[in-house]
Every structure is written in C-alpha cells, then in structure tokens.
Amino acid sequence: MIQTIDLRGTRPTPASLLAAVPRALTDVATASDVAADLINDVRLRGEDALLDQAERLDRVRPAYVRVPLFHIEEALDGLDPSVRTAIEETIRRVRLASAAQVPAGVTTTIAAGAVVTQRWQPVSRVGLYVPAGKAVYPSSVVMNVIPAQVAGVASLALASPAQSLFEGRVHPTILAVAGLLGIDEIYAMGGAGAIGALAYGVPGLGLAPVQLVTGPGNVYVAAAKRLIRGQAGIDSEAGPTDILVIADDEADPLLVAADLVSQAEHDELAAAVLVTDSVSLARRVEARLTELAVSTTHSERVTIALSGSQSAIVLVDDLTVAAAFSNAFGPEHLEIQTQDPDAVLDHIENAGAIFLGPHSPVSLGDYVAGSNHVLPTNGQSRFSAGLGAYTFLRPQQIVRYDREALHAVAGHIVALAQAEALPAHGDAVTARFVDED
C-alpha cells in the first residue's frame, strides 16, 4: 500500500535528502493556468463569474453570493449544542495562544535626542478563506479569525464555497462559527475565483479588496494565492495536507498508523510519511495502515493518499538522520514519537507545527490544542511559518531625531552619500544647517 524508501547505509547530504523527499506528482505549478483563468474571469465579470463558477464547480448556483444576516442567525439557532461547546472552548484556547504572538513595542535610544521605536501595526482589511470541499472546516474559521482579531485587524471578510446540500448556502456550521466570532461579511464563493475576488474586489457585491488573504485550501486555492501575491499579501500556500512522524522502536504502531491515516483522509494528495530507524516498527505500522485504511470511513481516499508518490515509510540508520530528512521534507505537521522526543527536537529546524510524544497527536492541533492549524504545506515550512497573530502585523520603525542628534551624524551621512554617488542625500541633511554656515 505504501512505498518504502531505504536510506540505511548511506551518508545523505542535504541535497540528496531533498532529492529523496516524496512529493505528489501534482503540484501548485500545474494548477496555475486553471487558477489564473478563474481569477481573470472574476476580475472581468464579477458576481456573474462567481455564480457561474459555483454552478460548474460546486454544482449549485447560490441565491446570494453575499450572505444575508438571516442565514447566519438561522445557522446559529441550529448549531448542535455539543459542537457549540467544543467551538467555544477552541476559541478560548486559540485566543490565549494567539495573544502570546503579539510582540510588544520597543523604543531604543540610539544617542541623545536620537530615538527609534519599533511598533507592530495590523493590516486594516483581511480576506479569510475557509474550504468546504471533501470536508467541512468550521475549525478553520476559528484558526483564521482569532489571530486576526487578536492582532487588531479592523475589517474581516470570509469566503467559503456554496454547498449543494444546503441550497447554495455556505455550510451552516461555518456560518454559525463565524456568527459566534462576530463576522458578518461572508461570501458564498470558493476556490481560485474566491481568492481572486478577495484580492481584487467585486464592486457589484460591495466587496472591497483586502490587503491580505489567509487560509488553507486545495491545490487550486494554493495556486491562486501564489498568483495574487503582489496585489495582496498571503499567509502561505496552504494546499493539500501532510504529516511526517519520526518514531523509534518504542513507539506504538497503532498510534503512528492512526495519525498517518488521520491526515490521509483529508485528500487523495495528502502526504503521510513515517521516518524510523526501526525496521520492526516500520513493518508493524505498515500492517496497521492496511487494517485502518480498509475500516476507516473515507477508505478509498485514504488508500489513494497512502499509495501515492507523496507518502512513504523511510528507513534511516539513526534518529539524527531522521531529523535531517524531516528538515529536508519541511513538514506541515511533525510528530516525534520516540523514547526521548526532546533530544530529537533539538535537531529539528523546519516544521509548521511540532507534536511531541504519544499524547500530542496532530488531531489535537487541528482542533483544541490552542495552536493554529493553518500551516505551510508542500515543503514550505523550510522557509515560512504557520498562521498566527504575527501574520497580520507589520513591523514599522519610527525614527525621531532632534536637531542636535541629526547634526551629530550629518558628516557621516554626507560621506556615505558621496561614496554612493547620491549627493542629494547629503544635501537634504546639510540644507537643515545652512544658517550655521
């Protein structure tokens, strides 16, 4: 069912590890042309394009693209009490963890009369995307909205696909959670077209362009976010999910297999990878995967994901190599199930979120850990971070010098300006002291 990559007996270099990393054959680049066409259609035809795309891709033509308030109120009234309780606890936990991500402003006195202040300024308007294709993600509403609110974003617009099972409305659980969080600007639109609409705006809907687009999605959503970067900022290209588990012979094969399957059920392109120095564990996990893939609800989807080129059991000589392989992979979710997880953690550089020990599964992070589940996929944790309050903040330096402080460094400025053949830079300083000449 799942391929084995055997790296034992080798001395892998960073380059060779990168080459050995299993990836899906379908990547963001292959979806770019389709995504570009959908975005351009929305830019040209606005609401009509969004309606046509919903009818073609979501199999329903919504009565409203801009969700009316009574849809939100009805969804709140119909929310299952147990789901509401779980969501409210998730909100509480994510709000606590997100608050820790807001840096304090700092003022530094460089010299007498020379002050530089570092402040963190929120963007004013953000577009939040919540997918609802193969599964429904009310938890993603929490993960998008809470950090933005904690950061101080003033205007939030939320987009989620129209649902054929609900007569073209946004899924009621998504609407209800948005209502709990005080979000009332919601659009029944999905996929690449929705990302384009958020970035460029749709005047006919009263949808003003946003400064930043966040949220997970499929490969077409990820491609669209890549395409609109520059018109608006993005958090990351959060496409099909992935999990990498580093485990040794002490790990429970059932728990490892269950965690791999939990992410494989998201999408046929989901990546599930075990890296271990134990052949015995590898074989026991493989057997468990076969059992679970047959019995789980989304058996066909899980089987396809586990059988794909993006999933593997990787055999290594030791846990140091396992950590190096993980760093090359750049997992969205990294689990460390070893006898001494902290020792392995010391070697980890790249990961969207890290889950230590047998009682910290990725599913915990997906819902109520307090951490955020919107994370970089497809190896992008090698150079980018998951969603947090800091995503919505921009560091700004405020420079405040008095006359004496500027005069003290005027000669340095003139010297550097002349060295760079930019004399007007120096002139702009000396002009302030003409009366002294």
Side-chain angles (χ1 to χ4, degrees):
M1 172 180 292
I2 189 168
Q3 66 174 316
T4 297
I5 298 173
D6 194 344
L7 299 179
R8 292 173 300 167
T10 66
R11 292 181 175 274
T13 65
S16 65
L17 286 173
L18 197 58
V21 162
R23 295 289 187 210
L25 296 178
T26 301
D27 64 17
V28 172
T30 64
S32 291
D33 288 345
V34 173
D37 288 343
L38 293 169
I39 292 171
N40 289 335
D41 189 25
V42 171
R43 295 185 68 185
L44 287 171
R45 299 195 300 121
E47 183 178 7
D48 289 339
L50 291 167
L51 289 168
D52 290 346
Q53 288 177 21
E55 188 169 22
R56 178 162 57 93
L57 301 173
D58 301 317
R59 301 178 302 282
V60 66
R61 192 175 185 89
Y64 306 93
V65 176
R66 173 73 183 259
V67 173
L69 288 177
F70 76 86
H71 282 195
I72 303 172
E73 293 165 353
E74 289 176 3
L76 269 171
D77 290 340
L79 184 62
D80 184 294
S82 65
V83 174
R84 180 170 184 149
T85 298
I87 286 292
E88 288 174 341
E89 178 62 14
T90 300
I91 289 170
R92 186 186 73 82
R93 291 173 177 238
V94 174
R95 197 178 296 279
L96 281 173
S98 297
Q101 298 171 334
V102 179
V106 178
T107 296
T108 303
T109 299
I110 307 298
V115 174
V116 176
T117 298
Q118 175 74 66
R119 76 172 183 179
W120 297 83
Q121 190 74 3
V123 294
S124 61
R125 180 163 167 78
V126 172
L128 313 172
Y129 185 75
V130 178
K134 294 182 175 69
V136 178
Y137 298 101
S139 56
S140 287
V141 180
V142 177
M143 301 296 175
N144 275 276
V145 171
I146 291 295
Q149 290 179 334
V150 167
V153 176
S155 175
L156 298 172
L158 189 149
S160 191
Q163 299 291 298
S164 59
L165 291 176
F166 297 96
E167 301 178 334
R169 294 190 181 194
V170 170
H171 195 282
T173 311
I174 289 175
L175 288 179
V177 175
L180 285 174
L181 290 166
I183 305 302
D184 58 13
E185 185 182 351
I186 305 173
Y187 300 89
M189 58 187 186
I195 301 301
L198 291 170
Y200 291 98
V202 181
L205 290 171
L207 171 54
V210 302
Q211 294 166 271
L212 180 70
V213 177
T214 72
N218 62 19
V219 69
Y220 296 100
V221 169
K225 289 171 77 175
R226 179 180 293 184
L227 290 168
I228 61 95
R229 183 184 290 174
Q231 170 65 23
I234 66 170
D235 53 342
S236 65
E237 295 173 15
T241 190
D242 63 70
I243 177 175
L244 187 147
V245 180
I246 296 176
D248 61 15
D249 198 51
E250 298 294 317
D252 184 328
L254 175 59
L255 299 185
V256 173
D259 292 350
L260 294 173
V261 168
S262 75
Q263 295 306 298
E265 77 171 340
H266 275 287
D267 194 286
E268 291 84 353
L269 293 176
V273 178
L274 166 64
V275 186
T276 182
D277 60 351
S278 169
V279 175
S280 172
L281 178 74
R283 297 297 165 251
R284 286 179 286 153
V285 169
E286 187 172 12
R288 288 292 194 175
L289 284 174
T290 301
E291 296 170 5
L292 294 175
V294 172
S295 62
T296 192
T297 299
H298 301 294
S299 177
E300 182 179 3
R301 190 186 304 163
V302 167
T303 300
I304 293 172
L306 293 177
S307 303
S309 60
Q310 71 274 15
S311 298
I313 293 175
V314 181
L315 297 172
V316 294
D317 285 327
D318 55 52
L319 295 179
T320 299
V321 178
F325 183 91
S326 178
N327 287 330
F329 186 91
E332 176 189 15
H333 309 100
L334 170 62
E335 287 188 1
I336 304 177
Q337 297 193 35
T338 60
Q339 187 175 21
D340 187 356
D342 287 295
V344 177
L345 179 63
D346 288 342
H347 296 281
I348 297 300
E349 299 173 359
N350 308 324
I354 303 169
F355 302 83
L356 296 184
H359 305 300
S360 302
V362 168
S363 299
L364 174 66
D366 283 341
Y367 298 116
V368 297
S371 59
N372 202 293
H373 77 201
V374 181
L375 302 166
T377 63
N378 197 34
Q380 293 195 62
S381 70
R382 292 179 296 121
F383 49 80
S384 60
L387 190 69
Y390 44 73
T391 305
F392 305 95
L393 296 168
R394 297 158 298 170
Q396 296 174 340
Q397 290 185 314
I398 302 167
V399 179
R400 192 189 308 272
Y401 270 53
D402 62 22
R403 181 181 178 83
E404 290 73 20
L406 177 62
H407 188 270
V409 295
H412 298 321
I413 297 170
V414 170
L416 291 170
Q418 290 174 345
E420 294 185 354
L422 297 171
H425 283 60
D427 294 344
V429 173
T430 57
R432 288 165 164 78
F433 303 102
V434 170
D435 293 344
E436 297 179 8
D437 294 336

